[in-house]
Amino acid sequence: MESTLILYNTLSRKKEIFQPLNPPFTGMYVCGPTVYGDPHLGHARPAITFDVVFRYLQHLGYRVRYIRNITDVGHLENDEDQGEDKIAKKARLEQLEPMEVAQYYSDRYFIFMEAMNVKRPSVEPRASGHIPEQIEMIRKIVDAGYAYEVNGSVYFDVLKYNEKYKYGKLSGRILEDLLSNTRELEGQEEKKNIVDFALWKKAQPEHIMRWSSPWSEGFPGWHLECSAMGTKYLGEHFDIHGGGMDLMFPHHESEIAQSRIANGSDSVKYWMHNNMITINGQKMGKSLGNFITLEEFFTGNHPGLSQAYSPMTIRFFILQAHYRSTLDFSNEALQAAEKGLKKLFAGIETLKKITSVDPSVTTTSGINIQQLSDNCYQAMNDDFNTPMVIANLFEGVRIINSVWDKKESLSQADLELLKNMFGLFMGDILGLKEETKDGGDEVVQGLMDLILAIRKDVREKKDFSTSDKIRDALQSLKITVKDTKEGTVWSGD
RNA sequence: GGUAUCGUGGCCGAGUGGUCAGGCAGAGGUCUGCAAAACCUCGUACAGCGGUUCGACUCCGCUCGAUACCUCCA
């Protein structure tokens, strides 16, 4: 399938043809989590969104280097604790070493991402492991005259930058508006201007995480780590930078400014932003306290959840919406996703059982598998339209079931095409895989065979009350029995 | 206040200037001992008001409403 990938570039606010700087090599950087809390549903969205981008680019034959950072330092918290590092704050509260906290939560992050079948990126760099690179970058910016030092802290001079370049071009901000609207925050009197942002902060005595630098013992500013690590692993120019929409300003805006000065040119070709997940129409976020962690979803252990939802259900739920749309969480929506996903997997099971086709059928009437497959490619090529892909998969399931019911027939070629389509789009690209199901136990299998054989006997004698008693008893053990034309099948829940 | 995004049937959610999303729920039917599953049929949805057009849910304008960002957040 030869076709062109088009993606929406936040920078131009247009869909653009994807043309990597050095094909077939492709560089992609995505802002990862700050590891000071358990991952919640909001973290799943960018991880899954860019996982699909990663998978699809690879499928198209690109050699992708995918970087997703771990922020374990330098993320300032400005609300209650003045200028205190998030990791350090959490560490003090829990009486743990800062790196212990970072380790714990990054481990948790990886576990939950793996459960949702999110592939590990090529490199997962930590900010704390790249202090020299960050210092070097600050030095370049200082040397270029776009940063100034005050009491051991270094700030980026946004006003000066704006004279020559445009600060705000990504987010559509106008500097004058920012100057008149930005809220006054305490502890920022060092800055020449409120819009300036920190590249290096001098550590207060109580601050545990600190490194030496030409300016002071301290720690790097948040925006810097992504610029420094992106440059280190992907070079001064790379293709895609992704992240949540809420990071557009000031984080990504500041990255653009820093890289522009330090590297002498714009570093990112395509900016991609996923939209937010909302709950009751409001953004689910840490600051609002309305977030539900992934563990709570997987266990159902949260007052807002009427049941547990499996990792694949969460993944499917997210992929059912386009990544640039907001996605509203509700139990109803999640249950719908769960059922829909089950239907897709049931279709795949049925597809596996269709082995022989009617040899007389060379062409099929009304069924165009090639068209279905093409639709999937077109959907992916049009800015990763996963909901459209899913709609076509459902159409595929309808065909599968019709064929199984002998209401439709397929040619051998079409059958192969259909199998490939499901394997590719459902499995490789959307990354949806069947979750572990029991039944591998030989004893259980033997018992079930025995029980169903007995049930078969009584059914043949039209002793339906006994037959139903067995089925009901099994159902109460969460084993569903179905009598199909091909015999009785069972499935554990 | 500024900037941006968005308003689609009971719910979730695509998309397009003139045939159709799709899923879940609901109604009827086929099949089946009954269930279940599956298949078929069914909803006159595009915030409101104007404008452009032969024709708009889709383009333009206005109004109303929602959300995000402007301070940390994926």
Side-chain angles (χ1 to χ4, degrees), chain A residues 75 86 182 222 247 283-284:
Chain A
H75 210 150
K86 279 190 171 174
T182 302
W222 173 40
L247 298 180
K283 174 182 158 184
M284 182 182 282

mmCIF file with all atom_site columns, all heavy atoms in Angstrom, chain A residues 75 86 182 222 247 283-284, chain B residues 34 38 69 71-74:
data_model
loop_
_atom_site.group_PDB
_atom_site.id
_atom_site.type_symbol
_atom_site.label_atom_id
_atom_site.label_alt_id
_atom_site.label_comp_id
_atom_site.label_asym_id
_atom_site.label_entity_id
_atom_site.label_seq_id
_atom_site.pdbx_PDB_ins_code
_atom_site.Cartn_x
_atom_site.Cartn_y
_atom_site.Cartn_z
_atom_site.occupancy
_atom_site.B_iso_or_equiv
_atom_site.pdbx_formal_charge
_atom_site.auth_seq_id
_atom_site.auth_comp_id
_atom_site.auth_asym_id
_atom_site.auth_atom_id
_atom_site.pdbx_PDB_model_num
ATOM 1   N N     . HIS A 1 75  ? 11.775  19.680  38.509 1.00 0.00 ? 75  HIS A N     1
ATOM 2   C CA    . HIS A 1 75  ? 10.426  20.116  38.199 1.00 0.00 ? 75  HIS A CA    1
ATOM 3   C C     . HIS A 1 75  ? 9.922   20.957  39.357 1.00 0.00 ? 75  HIS A C     1
ATOM 4   O O     . HIS A 1 75  ? 9.566   20.443  40.408 1.00 0.00 ? 75  HIS A O     1
ATOM 5   C CB    . HIS A 1 75  ? 9.543   18.891  38.008 1.00 0.00 ? 75  HIS A CB    1
ATOM 6   C CG    . HIS A 1 75  ? 8.442   19.138  37.057 1.00 0.00 ? 75  HIS A CG    1
ATOM 7   N ND1   . HIS A 1 75  ? 7.899   18.180  36.273 1.00 0.00 ? 75  HIS A ND1   1
ATOM 8   C CD2   . HIS A 1 75  ? 7.794   20.269  36.748 1.00 0.00 ? 75  HIS A CD2   1
ATOM 9   C CE1   . HIS A 1 75  ? 6.961   18.698  35.536 1.00 0.00 ? 75  HIS A CE1   1
ATOM 10  N NE2   . HIS A 1 75  ? 6.883   19.970  35.802 1.00 0.00 ? 75  HIS A NE2   1
ATOM 11  N N     . LYS A 1 86  ? 9.746   18.727  43.060 1.00 0.00 ? 86  LYS A N     1
ATOM 12  C CA    . LYS A 1 86  ? 8.658   17.777  43.323 1.00 0.00 ? 86  LYS A CA    1
ATOM 13  C C     . LYS A 1 86  ? 9.152   16.470  43.918 1.00 0.00 ? 86  LYS A C     1
ATOM 14  O O     . LYS A 1 86  ? 8.541   15.918  44.822 1.00 0.00 ? 86  LYS A O     1
ATOM 15  C CB    . LYS A 1 86  ? 7.907   17.474  42.027 1.00 0.00 ? 86  LYS A CB    1
ATOM 16  C CG    . LYS A 1 86  ? 6.916   18.552  41.707 1.00 0.00 ? 86  LYS A CG    1
ATOM 17  C CD    . LYS A 1 86  ? 6.016   18.157  40.583 1.00 0.00 ? 86  LYS A CD    1
ATOM 18  C CE    . LYS A 1 86  ? 4.912   19.202  40.472 1.00 0.00 ? 86  LYS A CE    1
ATOM 19  N NZ    . LYS A 1 86  ? 4.071   19.007  39.333 1.00 0.00 ? 86  LYS A NZ    1
ATOM 20  N N     . THR A 1 182 ? 0.244   37.667  32.939 1.00 0.00 ? 182 THR A N     1
ATOM 21  C CA    . THR A 1 182 ? 0.858   36.646  33.780 1.00 0.00 ? 182 THR A CA    1
ATOM 22  C C     . THR A 1 182 ? 0.755   37.031  35.248 1.00 0.00 ? 182 THR A C     1
ATOM 23  O O     . THR A 1 182 ? 1.029   38.157  35.624 1.00 0.00 ? 182 THR A O     1
ATOM 24  C CB    . THR A 1 182 ? 2.333   36.456  33.391 1.00 0.00 ? 182 THR A CB    1
ATOM 25  O OG1   . THR A 1 182 ? 2.382   36.094  32.031 1.00 0.00 ? 182 THR A OG1   1
ATOM 26  C CG2   . THR A 1 182 ? 2.965   35.360  34.213 1.00 0.00 ? 182 THR A CG2   1
ATOM 27  N N     . TRP A 1 222 ? 13.141  22.924  34.543 1.00 0.00 ? 222 TRP A N     1
ATOM 28  C CA    . TRP A 1 222 ? 12.368  21.830  33.970 1.00 0.00 ? 222 TRP A CA    1
ATOM 29  C C     . TRP A 1 222 ? 12.430  21.797  32.448 1.00 0.00 ? 222 TRP A C     1
ATOM 30  O O     . TRP A 1 222 ? 12.599  20.749  31.828 1.00 0.00 ? 222 TRP A O     1
ATOM 31  C CB    . TRP A 1 222 ? 10.914  21.953  34.428 1.00 0.00 ? 222 TRP A CB    1
ATOM 32  C CG    . TRP A 1 222 ? 9.970   20.991  33.780 1.00 0.00 ? 222 TRP A CG    1
ATOM 33  C CD1   . TRP A 1 222 ? 10.216  19.675  33.507 1.00 0.00 ? 222 TRP A CD1   1
ATOM 34  C CD2   . TRP A 1 222 ? 8.650   21.264  33.319 1.00 0.00 ? 222 TRP A CD2   1
ATOM 35  N NE1   . TRP A 1 222 ? 9.108   19.097  32.919 1.00 0.00 ? 222 TRP A NE1   1
ATOM 36  C CE2   . TRP A 1 222 ? 8.138   20.055  32.800 1.00 0.00 ? 222 TRP A CE2   1
ATOM 37  C CE3   . TRP A 1 222 ? 7.839   22.400  33.327 1.00 0.00 ? 222 TRP A CE3   1
ATOM 38  C CZ2   . TRP A 1 222 ? 6.854   19.974  32.266 1.00 0.00 ? 222 TRP A CZ2   1
ATOM 39  C CZ3   . TRP A 1 222 ? 6.562   22.302  32.798 1.00 0.00 ? 222 TRP A CZ3   1
ATOM 40  C CH2   . TRP A 1 222 ? 6.083   21.096  32.266 1.00 0.00 ? 222 TRP A CH2   1
ATOM 41  N N     . LEU A 1 247 ? 1.202   20.754  27.901 1.00 0.00 ? 247 LEU A N     1
ATOM 42  C CA    . LEU A 1 247 ? 2.630   21.087  27.969 1.00 0.00 ? 247 LEU A CA    1
ATOM 43  C C     . LEU A 1 247 ? 3.040   22.101  26.900 1.00 0.00 ? 247 LEU A C     1
ATOM 44  O O     . LEU A 1 247 ? 4.176   22.573  26.884 1.00 0.00 ? 247 LEU A O     1
ATOM 45  C CB    . LEU A 1 247 ? 3.476   19.819  27.778 1.00 0.00 ? 247 LEU A CB    1
ATOM 46  C CG    . LEU A 1 247 ? 3.292   18.740  28.832 1.00 0.00 ? 247 LEU A CG    1
ATOM 47  C CD1   . LEU A 1 247 ? 4.190   17.547  28.513 1.00 0.00 ? 247 LEU A CD1   1
ATOM 48  C CD2   . LEU A 1 247 ? 3.626   19.271  30.218 1.00 0.00 ? 247 LEU A CD2   1
ATOM 49  N N     . LYS A 1 283 ? -10.924 18.409  32.979 1.00 0.00 ? 283 LYS A N     1
ATOM 50  C CA    . LYS A 1 283 ? -9.658  17.729  32.806 1.00 0.00 ? 283 LYS A CA    1
ATOM 51  C C     . LYS A 1 283 ? -9.312  16.894  34.037 1.00 0.00 ? 283 LYS A C     1
ATOM 52  O O     . LYS A 1 283 ? -9.478  17.344  35.165 1.00 0.00 ? 283 LYS A O     1
ATOM 53  C CB    . LYS A 1 283 ? -8.579  18.786  32.596 1.00 0.00 ? 283 LYS A CB    1
ATOM 54  C CG    . LYS A 1 283 ? -7.178  18.246  32.540 1.00 0.00 ? 283 LYS A CG    1
ATOM 55  C CD    . LYS A 1 283 ? -6.210  19.383  32.384 1.00 0.00 ? 283 LYS A CD    1
ATOM 56  C CE    . LYS A 1 283 ? -4.834  18.959  32.856 1.00 0.00 ? 283 LYS A CE    1
ATOM 57  N NZ    . LYS A 1 283 ? -3.904  20.084  32.800 1.00 0.00 ? 283 LYS A NZ    1
ATOM 58  N N     . MET A 1 284 ? -8.861  15.677  33.764 1.00 0.00 ? 284 MET A N     1
ATOM 59  C CA    . MET A 1 284 ? -8.416  14.831  34.858 1.00 0.00 ? 284 MET A CA    1
ATOM 60  C C     . MET A 1 284 ? -6.966  15.184  35.136 1.00 0.00 ? 284 MET A C     1
ATOM 61  O O     . MET A 1 284 ? -6.110  15.049  34.264 1.00 0.00 ? 284 MET A O     1
ATOM 62  C CB    . MET A 1 284 ? -8.527  13.361  34.445 1.00 0.00 ? 284 MET A CB    1
ATOM 63  C CG    . MET A 1 284 ? -8.138  12.380  35.518 1.00 0.00 ? 284 MET A CG    1
ATOM 64  S SD    . MET A 1 284 ? -8.237  10.653  34.969 1.00 0.00 ? 284 MET A SD    1
ATOM 65  C CE    . MET A 1 284 ? -9.989  10.346  35.043 1.00 0.00 ? 284 MET A CE    1
ATOM 66  P P     . C   B 2 34  ? -36.239 -22.814 21.552 1.00 0.00 ? 34  C   B P     1
ATOM 67  O OP1   . C   B 2 34  ? -37.412 -22.094 21.057 1.00 0.00 ? 34  C   B OP1   1
ATOM 68  O OP2   . C   B 2 34  ? -35.040 -22.950 20.713 1.00 0.00 ? 34  C   B OP2   1
ATOM 69  O "O5'" . C   B 2 34  ? -35.813 -22.192 22.957 1.00 0.00 ? 34  C   B "O5'" 1
ATOM 70  C "C5'" . C   B 2 34  ? -36.802 -22.014 23.968 1.00 0.00 ? 34  C   B "C5'" 1
ATOM 71  C "C4'" . C   B 2 34  ? -36.131 -21.781 25.285 1.00 0.00 ? 34  C   B "C4'" 1
ATOM 72  O "O4'" . C   B 2 34  ? -35.257 -22.879 25.601 1.00 0.00 ? 34  C   B "O4'" 1
ATOM 73  C "C3'" . C   B 2 34  ? -35.201 -20.579 25.332 1.00 0.00 ? 34  C   B "C3'" 1
ATOM 74  O "O3'" . C   B 2 34  ? -35.929 -19.380 25.473 1.00 0.00 ? 34  C   B "O3'" 1
ATOM 75  C "C2'" . C   B 2 34  ? -34.373 -20.891 26.573 1.00 0.00 ? 34  C   B "C2'" 1
ATOM 76  O "O2'" . C   B 2 34  ? -35.064 -20.588 27.760 1.00 0.00 ? 34  C   B "O2'" 1
ATOM 77  C "C1'" . C   B 2 34  ? -34.226 -22.416 26.462 1.00 0.00 ? 34  C   B "C1'" 1
ATOM 78  N N1    . C   B 2 34  ? -32.928 -22.807 25.901 1.00 0.00 ? 34  C   B N1    1
ATOM 79  C C2    . C   B 2 34  ? -31.812 -22.770 26.742 1.00 0.00 ? 34  C   B C2    1
ATOM 80  O O2    . C   B 2 34  ? -31.966 -22.383 27.913 1.00 0.00 ? 34  C   B O2    1
ATOM 81  N N3    . C   B 2 34  ? -30.602 -23.132 26.265 1.00 0.00 ? 34  C   B N3    1
ATOM 82  C C4    . C   B 2 34  ? -30.480 -23.528 25.013 1.00 0.00 ? 34  C   B C4    1
ATOM 83  N N4    . C   B 2 34  ? -29.271 -23.876 24.586 1.00 0.00 ? 34  C   B N4    1
ATOM 84  C C5    . C   B 2 34  ? -31.598 -23.570 24.122 1.00 0.00 ? 34  C   B C5    1
ATOM 85  C C6    . C   B 2 34  ? -32.792 -23.206 24.599 1.00 0.00 ? 34  C   B C6    1
ATOM 86  P P     . A   B 2 38  ? -22.439 -11.213 19.381 1.00 0.00 ? 38  A   B P     1
ATOM 87  O OP1   . A   B 2 38  ? -21.223 -10.399 19.226 1.00 0.00 ? 38  A   B OP1   1
ATOM 88  O OP2   . A   B 2 38  ? -23.686 -10.593 19.888 1.00 0.00 ? 38  A   B OP2   1
ATOM 89  O "O5'" . A   B 2 38  ? -22.782 -11.909 18.000 1.00 0.00 ? 38  A   B "O5'" 1
ATOM 90  C "C5'" . A   B 2 38  ? -21.762 -12.579 17.270 1.00 0.00 ? 38  A   B "C5'" 1
ATOM 91  C "C4'" . A   B 2 38  ? -22.375 -13.282 16.088 1.00 0.00 ? 38  A   B "C4'" 1
ATOM 92  O "O4'" . A   B 2 38  ? -23.308 -14.297 16.550 1.00 0.00 ? 38  A   B "O4'" 1
ATOM 93  C "C3'" . A   B 2 38  ? -23.218 -12.397 15.182 1.00 0.00 ? 38  A   B "C3'" 1
ATOM 94  O "O3'" . A   B 2 38  ? -22.421 -11.667 14.278 1.00 0.00 ? 38  A   B "O3'" 1
ATOM 95  C "C2'" . A   B 2 38  ? -24.102 -13.435 14.489 1.00 0.00 ? 38  A   B "C2'" 1
ATOM 96  O "O2'" . A   B 2 38  ? -23.378 -14.131 13.504 1.00 0.00 ? 38  A   B "O2'" 1
ATOM 97  C "C1'" . A   B 2 38  ? -24.401 -14.369 15.662 1.00 0.00 ? 38  A   B "C1'" 1
ATOM 98  N N9    . A   B 2 38  ? -25.611 -13.968 16.385 1.00 0.00 ? 38  A   B N9    1
ATOM 99  C C8    . A   B 2 38  ? -25.700 -13.255 17.551 1.00 0.00 ? 38  A   B C8    1
ATOM 100 N N7    . A   B 2 38  ? -26.933 -13.048 17.960 1.00 0.00 ? 38  A   B N7    1
ATOM 101 C C5    . A   B 2 38  ? -27.708 -13.660 16.990 1.00 0.00 ? 38  A   B C5    1
ATOM 102 C C6    . A   B 2 38  ? -29.097 -13.801 16.841 1.00 0.00 ? 38  A   B C6    1
ATOM 103 N N6    . A   B 2 38  ? -29.984 -13.310 17.714 1.00 0.00 ? 38  A   B N6    1
ATOM 104 N N1    . A   B 2 38  ? -29.556 -14.478 15.768 1.00 0.00 ? 38  A   B N1    1
ATOM 105 C C2    . A   B 2 38  ? -28.670 -14.972 14.897 1.00 0.00 ? 38  A   B C2    1
ATOM 106 N N3    . A   B 2 38  ? -27.330 -14.910 14.931 1.00 0.00 ? 38  A   B N3    1
ATOM 107 C C4    . A   B 2 38  ? -26.907 -14.237 16.012 1.00 0.00 ? 38  A   B C4    1
ATOM 108 P P     . C   B 2 69  ? -5.355  23.406  32.038 1.00 0.00 ? 69  C   B P     1
ATOM 109 O OP1   . C   B 2 69  ? -4.441  22.459  32.695 1.00 0.00 ? 69  C   B OP1   1
ATOM 110 O OP2   . C   B 2 69  ? -6.366  24.146  32.817 1.00 0.00 ? 69  C   B OP2   1
ATOM 111 O "O5'" . C   B 2 69  ? -4.488  24.464  31.234 1.00 0.00 ? 69  C   B "O5'" 1
ATOM 112 C "C5'" . C   B 2 69  ? -3.394  24.034  30.434 1.00 0.00 ? 69  C   B "C5'" 1
ATOM 113 C "C4'" . C   B 2 69  ? -2.864  25.197  29.647 1.00 0.00 ? 69  C   B "C4'" 1
ATOM 114 O "O4'" . C   B 2 69  ? -3.888  25.686  28.748 1.00 0.00 ? 69  C   B "O4'" 1
ATOM 115 C "C3'" . C   B 2 69  ? -2.514  26.437  30.462 1.00 0.00 ? 69  C   B "C3'" 1
ATOM 116 O "O3'" . C   B 2 69  ? -1.266  26.315  31.110 1.00 0.00 ? 69  C   B "O3'" 1
ATOM 117 C "C2'" . C   B 2 69  ? -2.522  27.506  29.378 1.00 0.00 ? 69  C   B "C2'" 1
ATOM 118 O "O2'" . C   B 2 69  ? -1.379  27.410  28.561 1.00 0.00 ? 69  C   B "O2'" 1
ATOM 119 C "C1'" . C   B 2 69  ? -3.748  27.089  28.576 1.00 0.00 ? 69  C   B "C1'" 1
ATOM 120 N N1    . C   B 2 69  ? -4.963  27.765  29.069 1.00 0.00 ? 69  C   B N1    1
ATOM 121 C C2    . C   B 2 69  ? -5.217  29.062  28.611 1.00 0.00 ? 69  C   B C2    1
ATOM 122 O O2    . C   B 2 69  ? -4.408  29.586  27.827 1.00 0.00 ? 69  C   B O2    1
ATOM 123 N N3    . C   B 2 69  ? -6.315  29.713  29.045 1.00 0.00 ? 69  C   B N3    1
ATOM 124 C C4    . C   B 2 69  ? -7.154  29.117  29.897 1.00 0.00 ? 69  C   B C4    1
ATOM 125 N N4    . C   B 2 69  ? -8.221  29.798  30.292 1.00 0.00 ? 69  C   B N4    1
ATOM 126 C C5    . C   B 2 69  ? -6.914  27.800  30.382 1.00 0.00 ? 69  C   B C5    1
ATOM 127 C C6    . C   B 2 69  ? -5.814  27.165  29.944 1.00 0.00 ? 69  C   B C6    1
ATOM 128 P P     . U   B 2 71  ? 1.037   32.115  34.112 1.00 0.00 ? 71  U   B P     1
ATOM 129 O OP1   . U   B 2 71  ? -0.230  32.287  34.827 1.00 0.00 ? 71  U   B OP1   1
ATOM 130 O OP2   . U   B 2 71  ? 2.074   33.163  34.178 1.00 0.00 ? 71  U   B OP2   1
ATOM 131 O "O5'" . U   B 2 71  ? 1.693   30.725  34.495 1.00 0.00 ? 71  U   B "O5'" 1
ATOM 132 C "C5'" . U   B 2 71  ? 2.969   30.673  35.167 1.00 0.00 ? 71  U   B "C5'" 1
ATOM 133 C "C4'" . U   B 2 71  ? 2.859   29.634  36.233 1.00 0.00 ? 71  U   B "C4'" 1
ATOM 134 O "O4'" . U   B 2 71  ? 1.806   30.058  37.126 1.00 0.00 ? 71  U   B "O4'" 1
ATOM 135 C "C3'" . U   B 2 71  ? 2.368   28.303  35.674 1.00 0.00 ? 71  U   B "C3'" 1
ATOM 136 O "O3'" . U   B 2 71  ? 3.434   27.467  35.223 1.00 0.00 ? 71  U   B "O3'" 1
ATOM 137 C "C2'" . U   B 2 71  ? 1.549   27.701  36.826 1.00 0.00 ? 71  U   B "C2'" 1
ATOM 138 O "O2'" . U   B 2 71  ? 2.235   26.764  37.574 1.00 0.00 ? 71  U   B "O2'" 1
ATOM 139 C "C1'" . U   B 2 71  ? 1.200   28.910  37.680 1.00 0.00 ? 71  U   B "C1'" 1
ATOM 140 N N1    . U   B 2 71  ? -0.239  29.099  37.814 1.00 0.00 ? 71  U   B N1    1
ATOM 141 C C2    . U   B 2 71  ? -0.875  28.243  38.692 1.00 0.00 ? 71  U   B C2    1
ATOM 142 O O2    . U   B 2 71  ? -0.285  27.358  39.276 1.00 0.00 ? 71  U   B O2    1
ATOM 143 N N3    . U   B 2 71  ? -2.210  28.470  38.839 1.00 0.00 ? 71  U   B N3    1
ATOM 144 C C4    . U   B 2 71  ? -2.968  29.442  38.222 1.00 0.00 ? 71  U   B C4    1
ATOM 145 O O4    . U   B 2 71  ? -4.164  29.524  38.476 1.00 0.00 ? 71  U   B O4    1
ATOM 146 C C5    . U   B 2 71  ? -2.221  30.283  37.322 1.00 0.00 ? 71  U   B C5    1
ATOM 147 C C6    . U   B 2 71  ? -0.915  30.086  37.166 1.00 0.00 ? 71  U   B C6    1
ATOM 148 P P     . C   B 2 72  ? 4.674   26.983  35.901 1.00 0.00 ? 72  C   B P     1
ATOM 149 O OP1   . C   B 2 72  ? 4.783   27.581  37.218 1.00 0.00 ? 72  C   B OP1   1
ATOM 150 O OP2   . C   B 2 72  ? 5.757   27.116  34.908 1.00 0.00 ? 72  C   B OP2   1
ATOM 151 O "O5'" . C   B 2 72  ? 4.417   25.429  36.097 1.00 0.00 ? 72  C   B "O5'" 1
ATOM 152 C "C5'" . C   B 2 72  ? 5.431   24.659  36.729 1.00 0.00 ? 72  C   B "C5'" 1
ATOM 153 C "C4'" . C   B 2 72  ? 4.812   23.455  37.358 1.00 0.00 ? 72  C   B "C4'" 1
ATOM 154 O "O4'" . C   B 2 72  ? 3.725   23.833  38.218 1.00 0.00 ? 72  C   B "O4'" 1
ATOM 155 C "C3'" . C   B 2 72  ? 4.133   22.470  36.415 1.00 0.00 ? 72  C   B "C3'" 1
ATOM 156 O "O3'" . C   B 2 72  ? 5.111   21.699  35.754 1.00 0.00 ? 72  C   B "O3'" 1
ATOM 157 C "C2'" . C   B 2 72  ? 3.318   21.655  37.391 1.00 0.00 ? 72  C   B "C2'" 1
ATOM 158 O "O2'" . C   B 2 72  ? 4.104   20.727  38.068 1.00 0.00 ? 72  C   B "O2'" 1
ATOM 159 C "C1'" . C   B 2 72  ? 2.849   22.739  38.366 1.00 0.00 ? 72  C   B "C1'" 1
ATOM 160 N N1    . C   B 2 72  ? 1.479   23.172  38.080 1.00 0.00 ? 72  C   B N1    1
ATOM 161 C C2    . C   B 2 72  ? 0.429   22.451  38.675 1.00 0.00 ? 72  C   B C2    1
ATOM 162 O O2    . C   B 2 72  ? 0.718   21.481  39.391 1.00 0.00 ? 72  C   B O2    1
ATOM 163 N N3    . C   B 2 72  ? -0.844  22.826  38.449 1.00 0.00 ? 72  C   B N3    1
ATOM 164 C C4    . C   B 2 72  ? -1.101  23.869  37.667 1.00 0.00 ? 72  C   B C4    1
ATOM 165 N N4    . C   B 2 72  ? -2.370  24.210  37.477 1.00 0.00 ? 72  C   B N4    1
ATOM 166 C C5    . C   B 2 72  ? -0.064  24.617  37.045 1.00 0.00 ? 72  C   B C5    1
ATOM 167 C C6    . C   B 2 72  ? 1.206   24.232  37.274 1.00 0.00 ? 72  C   B C6    1
ATOM 168 P P     . C   B 2 73  ? 4.691   20.886  34.487 1.00 0.00 ? 73  C   B P     1
ATOM 169 O OP1   . C   B 2 73  ? 5.845   20.068  34.138 1.00 0.00 ? 73  C   B OP1   1
ATOM 170 O OP2   . C   B 2 73  ? 4.174   21.850  33.508 1.00 0.00 ? 73  C   B OP2   1
ATOM 171 O "O5'" . C   B 2 73  ? 3.450   19.987  34.914 1.00 0.00 ? 73  C   B "O5'" 1
ATOM 172 C "C5'" . C   B 2 73  ? 3.448   18.574  34.855 1.00 0.00 ? 73  C   B "C5'" 1
ATOM 173 C "C4'" . C   B 2 73  ? 2.098   18.104  35.333 1.00 0.00 ? 73  C   B "C4'" 1
ATOM 174 O "O4'" . C   B 2 73  ? 1.388   19.246  35.791 1.00 0.00 ? 73  C   B "O4'" 1
ATOM 175 C "C3'" . C   B 2 73  ? 1.230   17.451  34.256 1.00 0.00 ? 73  C   B "C3'" 1
ATOM 176 O "O3'" . C   B 2 73  ? 1.046   16.071  34.520 1.00 0.00 ? 73  C   B "O3'" 1
ATOM 177 C "C2'" . C   B 2 73  ? -0.109  18.101  34.351 1.00 0.00 ? 73  C   B "C2'" 1
ATOM 178 O "O2'" . C   B 2 73  ? -1.112  17.191  34.757 1.00 0.00 ? 73  C   B "O2'" 1
ATOM 179 C "C1'" . C   B 2 73  ? 0.026   19.119  35.460 1.00 0.00 ? 73  C   B "C1'" 1
ATOM 180 N N1    . C   B 2 73  ? -0.522  20.423  35.089 1.00 0.00 ? 73  C   B N1    1
ATOM 181 C C2    . C   B 2 73  ? -1.875  20.646  35.380 1.00 0.00 ? 73  C   B C2    1
ATOM 182 O O2    . C   B 2 73  ? -2.517  19.732  35.917 1.00 0.00 ? 73  C   B O2    1
ATOM 183 N N3    . C   B 2 73  ? -2.424  21.838  35.060 1.00 0.00 ? 73  C   B N3    1
ATOM 184 C C4    . C   B 2 73  ? -1.691  22.783  34.492 1.00 0.00 ? 73  C   B C4    1
ATOM 185 N N4    . C   B 2 73  ? -2.272  23.945  34.205 1.00 0.00 ? 73  C   B N4    1
ATOM 186 C C5    . C   B 2 73  ? -0.307  22.580  34.177 1.00 0.00 ? 73  C   B C5    1
ATOM 187 C C6    . C   B 2 73  ? 0.236   21.388  34.495 1.00 0.00 ? 73  C   B C6    1
ATOM 188 P P     . A   B 2 74  ? 2.168   14.972  34.661 1.00 0.00 ? 74  A   B P     1
ATOM 189 O OP1   . A   B 2 74  ? 1.872   14.148  35.826 1.00 0.00 ? 74  A   B OP1   1
ATOM 190 O OP2   . A   B 2 74  ? 3.503   15.569  34.499 1.00 0.00 ? 74  A   B OP2   1
ATOM 191 O "O5'" . A   B 2 74  ? 1.833   14.134  33.371 1.00 0.00 ? 74  A   B "O5'" 1
ATOM 192 C "C5'" . A   B 2 74  ? 2.848   13.745  32.477 1.00 0.00 ? 74  A   B "C5'" 1
ATOM 193 C "C4'" . A   B 2 74  ? 2.276   13.871  31.073 1.00 0.00 ? 74  A   B "C4'" 1
ATOM 194 O "O4'" . A   B 2 74  ? 1.005   13.196  31.056 1.00 0.00 ? 74  A   B "O4'" 1
ATOM 195 C "C3'" . A   B 2 74  ? 1.976   15.307  30.706 1.00 0.00 ? 74  A   B "C3'" 1
ATOM 196 O "O3'" . A   B 2 74  ? 3.064   15.886  30.060 1.00 0.00 ? 74  A   B "O3'" 1
ATOM 197 C "C2'" . A   B 2 74  ? 0.737   15.224  29.832 1.00 0.00 ? 74  A   B "C2'" 1
ATOM 198 O "O2'" . A   B 2 74  ? 1.046   15.144  28.474 1.00 0.00 ? 74  A   B "O2'" 1
ATOM 199 C "C1'" . A   B 2 74  ? 0.099   13.909  30.247 1.00 0.00 ? 74  A   B "C1'" 1
ATOM 200 N N9    . A   B 2 74  ? -1.140  14.137  30.993 1.00 0.00 ? 74  A   B N9    1
ATOM 201 C C8    . A   B 2 74  ? -1.307  14.552  32.270 1.00 0.00 ? 74  A   B C8    1
ATOM 202 N N7    . A   B 2 74  ? -2.568  14.643  32.642 1.00 0.00 ? 74  A   B N7    1
ATOM 203 C C5    . A   B 2 74  ? -3.270  14.240  31.523 1.00 0.00 ? 74  A   B C5    1
ATOM 204 C C6    . A   B 2 74  ? -4.651  14.108  31.252 1.00 0.00 ? 74  A   B C6    1
ATOM 205 N N6    . A   B 2 74  ? -5.599  14.356  32.154 1.00 0.00 ? 74  A   B N6    1
ATOM 206 N N1    . A   B 2 74  ? -5.025  13.695  30.033 1.00 0.00 ? 74  A   B N1    1
ATOM 207 C C2    . A   B 2 74  ? -4.077  13.423  29.136 1.00 0.00 ? 74  A   B C2    1
ATOM 208 N N3    . A   B 2 74  ? -2.750  13.504  29.272 1.00 0.00 ? 74  A   B N3    1
ATOM 209 C C4    . A   B 2 74  ? -2.412  13.925  30.497 1.00 0.00 ? 74  A   B C4    1
#
